[in-house]
Structures are given as C-alpha cells and as structure tokens.
Amino acid sequence: MGDTPEGSSRASWDEYFMNIARVIATRATCARKHVGAVIVRDRTILSTGYNGSIRGTPHCDDAGHMMEDGHCVRTIHAEINAVIQAAKNGTSIDGGAIYVTASPCWNCFKAIANAGIRRVVFGEFYRDDRIFQVAETLGIELVDLSGRG
C-alpha cells in the first residue's frame, strides 16, 4: 500500500496519509503532545481525530492539565476520537488502517484492535511495547515510519 516507483517525487500512500495525520494533530488541545489520527480503507479517509478534551469541556491549553501518574487525563486520545467519530457518523472502519503520528498507547491499541483495524501506521514510537506482541498474535500489521530501526 505504501510503495511508489523508485525515484518518484510523488508521496507514497503511507506518506500521504501520515502527512494528513500530522495536519490533523495541529488541532490538538493539549500542549503536552499533539497527536493526529486518520482512519482509511481502500485509500479513502473514513474518520479523523486529534487529542482533545471531552466535547463541551475546557481544553488543557485553557484550563490546565489534569495530571495522573505523569500523564494528562483531561484529553481523549486521537485514535479513540477517530474511532468515536466513525461510530457517531455510522461509518464502518472494520478492515481499515489507522495512521497516527505517535504509536498507540495500550488502551488505544485495544480499542483499535476491537474496532477491526488491520493495519496501524505510526510516525514515532510512543511508550508501550505491548502492542508489538499482541499485534503479531492478532495479525495486525504495525508499520513504523519513524526510521528508528
């Protein structure tokens, strides 16, 4: 899915959708980490999300962070917001792929897996190695675009 001809200046599909996820991340409302996500199937965008507060409540950037165990818990993560947006709009994401600027935390990964996402493409590794073993067990493809290894 992510390949382009050698020497081409045209973005691969993976680069294209990750670039969109990066733009989506600019809407995030928690300055501790801006994350964006886009859910795709058949090269068509189904849903997007960014990390932000519960709809109708103050944003971290305005009201301050709600810290618990070193993490801000005021926000809903980008991946969950993308899954919620799809559900709210009646869009099936089963069999799709999610592009996210940072690898999913454990809770987001569990939701992604149960939503039927078959491919997770991330721009940087963020915090939770458990996703690798479980993804392999479930047959979920993980793609690291960070170039870290």
Side-chain angles (χ1 to χ4, degrees):
M1 178 176 189
D3 296 335
T4 56
E6 191 173 321
S8 172
S9 61
R10 187 175 183 196
S12 70
W13 285 107
D14 284 347
E15 293 165 335
Y16 173 75
F17 290 121
M18 186 57 68
N19 287 338
I20 292 169
R22 288 185 184 110
V23 170
I24 293 164
T26 67
R27 292 287 304 153
T29 63
C30 182
R32 289 179 51 85
K33 187 149 189 79
H34 286 207
V35 179
V38 59
I39 299 175
V40 174
R41 189 177 52 239
D42 299 326
R43 297 181 179 162
T44 301
I45 295 172
L46 302 175
S47 185
T48 65
Y50 54 85
N51 56 316
S53 298
I54 298 169
R55 204 177 283 237
T57 67
H59 302 303
C60 295
D61 294 348
D62 300 329
H65 301 288
M66 187 182 295
M67 299 302 292
E68 214 173 82
D69 297 326
H71 301 283
C72 181
V73 296
R74 182 181 299 277
T75 63
I76 299 170
H77 290 186
E79 305 93 306
I80 298 300
N81 270 328
V83 170
I84 290 168
Q85 183 186 69
K88 185 176 179 193
N89 292 316
T91 303
S92 172
I93 57 175
D94 190 36
I98 188 167
Y99 291 80
V100 61
T101 57
S103 61
C105 71
W106 181 236
N107 283 326
C108 287
F109 179 79
K110 291 185 292 183
I112 287 166
N114 273 6
I117 301 281
R118 304 307 311 154
R119 190 167 189 262
V120 178
V121 182
F122 58 92
E124 70 172 277
F125 176 72
Y126 179 67
R127 158 173 103 179
D128 206 317
D129 285 317
R130 289 178 284 189
I131 66 172
F132 296 103
Q133 180 182 354
V134 176
E136 186 175 339
T137 300
L138 296 175
I140 295 172
E141 181 184 5
L142 293 179
V143 179
D144 181 350
L145 295 184
S146 71
R148 70 177 177 107

